[in-house]
């Protein structure tokens, strides 16, 4: 090292070290979503009013809103919605209940796992709507077949999520429970189930979306009332405004479910880092 | 209650992990087990507490544990093993609930053990809010709550930074001076071994055999004053371990 190395000579270029970090961490920006939404609706409404978008292809948002208001005033909205929600809640609830029971069993017991997992793998990929005709033969054209479709559709993803969640519970915690002589039931109730809860809740998110999809499909095949039936009828009559109104209701249903599960996660998983 | 390890050997998938471990753990002493990584010291500790079974030999309890001991053989784990969804006091109450201790009786025990581990102000905190050292103190409080006859500590300070480790080591010494607990303390840190161990058992590399048992007869509370003697002991232990550690480092993992 010569003395020169300590002083900046004119021939040596001096510059700050280039910054290479940053990025890869999207932040929350609450205002973006409403702005995007408003812009899209405005373009859509404007396009329809200026005649760029034919009302036969896509009705203006205002017309869809009118259709929604008409539906509400006629009293049919409540009828459709309550029919749909009953099916949705009933099918989802019992499908989830059974799914959690079978999933926990598959997570805990060798025999149950060996029996359930291959069966789930074989039946899960079948689109449950393909089984609806079968369910109609079994349970009739009434509510039962629709609920059975939703139940069946939510059961399998729940089993998969729950037994994956049970599998992923920290073995160290279970070993700790054993080392303090906790009973088997205490270990399941106080360590395994709470530990599997995050996976269960994300499973519920998926099964709830599947339930909505199956609800509409089942209602399209045979129902007097229900959002699916309303949309199907609107389509048959080429009433595009009613169709968009119906689809909007579905979207709102999905958002509501996702919001409820989000709240549940916030409350129940406060302990998560 | 003393513990007696009776010629323990263990094979795992055909690989010998431990070979003929014969050892006494007398009441009121801290026995440190050190050895190179992979020598089976943690496995040995799991045998002592009955979490795993050795292929040969057995662990014997000599004499009965004290009447009031709820869980005679109690672990303190390296990763703390706290339930993240329970508060500090909830984590302690977890190990009491199964013994039917609830309500006021449980509260009294929880209050007592939290005071003894200097955690009284944090009873309602969740584990995610605590530092590593505090988490381990919660685990110690939880262990004390069941009045163990013997504490089984599996590298309890290894996940902590060195300052926290010093503080907790002092806590463990203070606690021993007050309560004279029996403990088996597995570590790879020689300094912890000479600070806490009445007896230091040096295991060889896999398959782990007892190479030497080093007795340190300076009282625990006086050890910091005898820095010189301790570093001599530590140097001696390092001499014993050096070759083993080097050889263990060169081995391929059989996984």
């Amino acid at each position: 090292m010569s003395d020169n190395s300590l002083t900046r000579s004119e021939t040596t270029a001096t510059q700050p070290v280039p910054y290479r970090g940053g990025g890869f961490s999207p932040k929350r920006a609450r205002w973006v979503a409403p702005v995007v939404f408003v812009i899209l609706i405005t373009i859509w409404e404007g396009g329809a009013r200026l005649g760029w978008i034919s009302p036969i292809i896509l009705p203006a948002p205002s017309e869809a809103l009118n259709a929604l208001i008409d539906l509400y005033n006629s009293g049919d909205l409540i009828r459709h919605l309550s029919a749909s929600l009953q099916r949705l809640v009933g099918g989802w609830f019992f499908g989830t209940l059974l799914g959690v029971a079978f999933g926990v069993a598959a997570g805990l017991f060798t025999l149950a796992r060996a029996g359930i997992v291959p069966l789930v793998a074989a039946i899960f990929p079948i689109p449950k709507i393909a089984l609806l005709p079968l369910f109609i033969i079994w349970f009739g054209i009434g509510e039962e077949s629709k609920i059975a479709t939703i139940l069946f559709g939510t059961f399998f993803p729940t089993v998969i999520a729950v037994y994956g969640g049970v599998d992923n519970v920290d073995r160290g915690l279970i070993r700790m429970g054993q080392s303090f002589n906790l009973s088997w039931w205490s270990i399941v109730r106080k360590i395994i189930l709470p530990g599997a809860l995050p996976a269960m809740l994300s499973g519920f998110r998926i099964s709830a979306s599947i339930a909505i999809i199956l609800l509409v499909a089942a209602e399209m095949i045979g129902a007097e009332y229900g959002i699916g039936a309303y949309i199907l009828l609107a389509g048959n009559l080429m009433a595009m405004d009613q169709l968009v109104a119906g689809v909007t209701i579905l979207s709102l249903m999905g958002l509501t479910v996702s919001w409820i599960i989000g709240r549940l996660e916030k409350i129940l998983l406060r302990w998560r880092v | 209650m003393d513990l007696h390890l009776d010629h323990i050997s263990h094979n795992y998938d055909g690989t010998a992990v431990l070979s003929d471990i014969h050892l006494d753990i007398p009441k009121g002493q801290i026995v440190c087990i050190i050895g190179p990584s992979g020598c089976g010291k943690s496995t040995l500790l799991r045998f002592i507490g009955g979490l795993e079974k050795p292929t040969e030999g057995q662990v014997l309890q000599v004499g009965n544990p004290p009447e009031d001991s709820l869980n005679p053989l109690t672990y303190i784990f390296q990763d703390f093993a706290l339930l993240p969804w329970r508060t500090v006091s909830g984590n302690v109450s977890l190990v009491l609930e199964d013994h039917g201790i609830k309500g006021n009786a449980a509260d009294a025990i929880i209050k007592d053990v939290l005071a003894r581990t200097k955690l009284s102000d944090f009873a309602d905190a969740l584990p995610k809010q605590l530092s590593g050292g505090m988490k381990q103190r919660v685990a110690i409080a939880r262990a004390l709550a069941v009045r163990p006859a013997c504490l089984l500590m599996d590298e309890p300070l290894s996940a902590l930074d060195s300052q926290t480790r010093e503080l907790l080591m002092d806590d463990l010494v203070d606690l021993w001076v007050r309560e004279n607990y029996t403990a088996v303390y597995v570590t790879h840190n020689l300094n912890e071994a000479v600070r806490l161990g009445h007896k230091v058992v040096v295991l060889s590399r896999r398959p782990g055999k007892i190479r030497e048992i080093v007795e340190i007869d300076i009282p625990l509370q006086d050890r910091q004053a005898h820095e010189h003697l301790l570093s001599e002991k530590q140097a001696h232990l390092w001499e014993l371990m050096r070759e083993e550690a080097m050889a263990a480092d060169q081995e391929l993992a059989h996984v």
Side-chain angles (χ1 to χ4, degrees):
Chain A
M1 285 278 158
S2 66
D3 293 342
N4 286 353
S5 67
L6 291 173
T7 54
R8 287 181 195 169
S9 78
E10 299 221 356
T11 49
T12 321
T14 308
Q15 56 193 18
V17 173
Y19 174 63
R20 294 173 293 179
F24 299 106
S25 65
K27 311 224 164 20
R28 277 183 86 141
R30 286 174 175 278
W31 57 272
V32 178
V35 167
V36 170
F37 208 68
V38 167
I39 290 174
L40 273 179
I41 297 278
T42 315
I43 293 174
W44 182 3
E45 181 73 37
R49 295 209 173 179
L50 292 172
W52 295 343
I53 306 169
S54 155
I56 298 169
I57 296 171
L58 196 63
S62 55
E63 284 180 44
L65 186 67
N66 282 335
L68 202 60
I69 292 168
D70 285 345
L71 184 68
Y72 175 77
N73 288 337
S74 71
D76 277 352
L77 177 65
I78 305 297
R79 226 165 291 156
H80 288 303
L81 209 54
S82 72
S84 285
L85 284 180
Q86 275 171 29
R87 291 167 192 144
L88 187 70
V89 172
W92 183 84
F93 177 78
F94 289 109
T96 301
L97 203 69
L98 287 174
V100 169
F102 277 75
V104 170
L108 291 178
F109 308 110
T110 312
L111 267 183
R113 166 167 309 205
I116 292 170
V117 174
L119 204 65
V120 168
I123 302 179
F124 182 43
I126 302 174
K128 299 305 167 296
I129 199 67
L131 298 175
L132 182 62
L134 195 66
F135 290 143
I136 291 178
I137 295 171
W138 289 353
F139 304 113
I141 191 80
E143 295 303 302
E144 292 85 350
S145 56
K146 296 177 189 63
I147 290 180
T149 312
I150 297 169
L151 187 153
F152 229 61
T154 49
F155 172 76
F156 292 98
T158 308
V159 171
I160 292 174
V162 171
Y163 103 83
V166 171
D167 263 2
N168 274 330
V169 174
D170 184 355
R171 298 291 116 173
L173 292 181
I174 296 175
R175 180 164 283 168
M176 179 276 292
Q178 291 174 322
S179 83
F180 280 97
N181 258 339
L182 300 197
S183 67
W184 182 86
W185 175 233
S186 280
I187 292 178
V188 170
R189 202 159 44 96
K190 296 171 186 170
I191 298 176
I192 294 178
L193 290 183
L197 194 60
M200 284 190 206
L201 285 175
S202 47
F204 291 173
R205 225 178 244 284
I206 294 167
S207 70
S209 321
I210 293 178
I212 293 178
I213 293 170
L214 287 175
L215 168 78
V216 175
E219 286 176 344
M220 282 186 165
I221 288 183
E224 192 183 349
Y225 287 108
I227 305 297
Y230 173 74
I231 292 174
L232 187 72
L233 186 68
N236 289 343
L237 299 174
M238 295 292 274
M240 288 302 151
D241 51 347
Q242 294 182 13
L243 194 140
V244 172
V247 171
T248 309
I249 297 173
L250 288 181
S251 164
L252 290 176
M253 260 161 80
L255 282 175
T256 311
V257 168
S258 144
W259 180 82
I260 291 172
I261 293 177
R263 291 301 308 169
L264 274 179
E265 279 178 341
K266 266 231 169 81
I267 296 166
L268 294 175
L269 306 181
R270 239 179 335 180
W271 47 270
R272 266 209 300 200
V273 187
Chain B
M1 184 187 77
D2 298 349
L3 288 172
H4 178 65
L5 279 58
D6 183 28
H7 297 288
I8 287 179
S9 299
H10 190 63
N11 300 316
Y12 191 76
D13 283 344
T15 317
V17 183
L18 286 165
S19 151
D20 200 35
I21 306 284
H22 197 75
L23 181 67
D24 274 313
I25 297 150
K27 185 174 174 341
Q29 282 200 5
I30 300 179
V31 175
C32 289
I33 300 178
I34 60 171
S37 56
C39 74
K41 48 192 192 297
S42 292
T43 312
L44 187 62
L45 197 71
R46 288 202 287 276
F47 294 152
I48 299 175
L51 285 181
E52 268 181 58
K53 275 190 209 159
T55 14
E56 271 171 61
Q58 54 191 341
V59 180
L60 299 170
Q61 292 187 9
V62 184
N64 289 324
E67 286 284 314
D68 65 345
S69 173
L70 298 174
N71 189 44
L73 300 171
T74 298
Y75 282 90
I76 291 172
F77 298 94
Q78 179 179 0
D79 60 358
F80 325 127
L82 301 176
L83 300 185
W85 49 87
R86 284 195 179 220
T87 60
V88 167
S89 58
N91 266 287
V92 179
S93 101
L94 173 80
V95 300
L96 299 173
E97 287 159 14
D98 265 40
H99 296 281
I101 302 175
K102 289 180 184 127
N104 287 338
D107 288 344
I109 296 177
I110 293 168
K111 215 174 150 210
D112 171 52
V113 293
L114 291 187
R116 276 151 75 193
T117 45
K118 296 173 233 166
L119 285 167
S120 299
D121 295 339
F122 307 99
D124 296 322
L126 284 170
K128 70 169 179 184
Q129 298 170 286
L130 304 176
S131 68
M134 271 168 51
K135 283 183 200 164
Q136 195 56 293
R137 295 219 304 273
V138 177
I140 293 171
R142 177 177 65 187
L144 295 176
V146 291
R147 289 186 292 264
C150 181
L151 280 174
L152 305 173
M153 301 194 254
D154 187 7
E155 311 214 15
L157 309 183
S158 296
L160 307 173
D161 62 74
S162 57
Q163 290 100 332
T164 316
R165 202 179 300 171
E166 281 296 321
L167 294 175
L168 254 161
M169 234 183 316
D170 290 341
D171 287 349
L172 288 174
V173 169
D174 289 346
L175 204 64
W176 186 86
V177 170
R178 271 185 282 139
E179 327 206 347
N180 267 276
Y181 55 85
T182 315
V184 183
Y185 188 104
V186 165
T187 180
H188 60 255
N189 183 314
L190 301 181
N191 183 251
E192 288 171 26
V194 296
R195 284 273 301 280
L196 292 171
H198 296 96
K199 228 198 259 195
V200 181
V201 179
V202 184
L203 293 186
S204 69
R205 68 178 181 276
R206 190 172 53 212
K209 288 191 268 295
I210 294 182
R211 264 206 72 168
E212 196 171 321
I213 297 178
V214 177
E215 307 258 355
I216 305 178
D217 38 19
I218 314 166
L220 284 196
Q221 61 272 33
D222 302 339
R223 288 203 181 173
Q224 285 212 291
H226 295 82
E227 198 96 28
H228 177 64
L229 279 170
L230 280 194
S231 51
E232 245 172 45
K233 289 278 184 197
Q234 196 175 329
H236 174 61
L237 290 175
W238 176 230
E239 274 315 306
L240 288 171
M241 270 193 51
R242 186 192 196 97
E243 267 173 61
E244 302 289 344
M246 258 163 66
D249 188 50
Q250 301 292 322
E251 270 172 26
L252 283 175
H254 297 282
V255 187

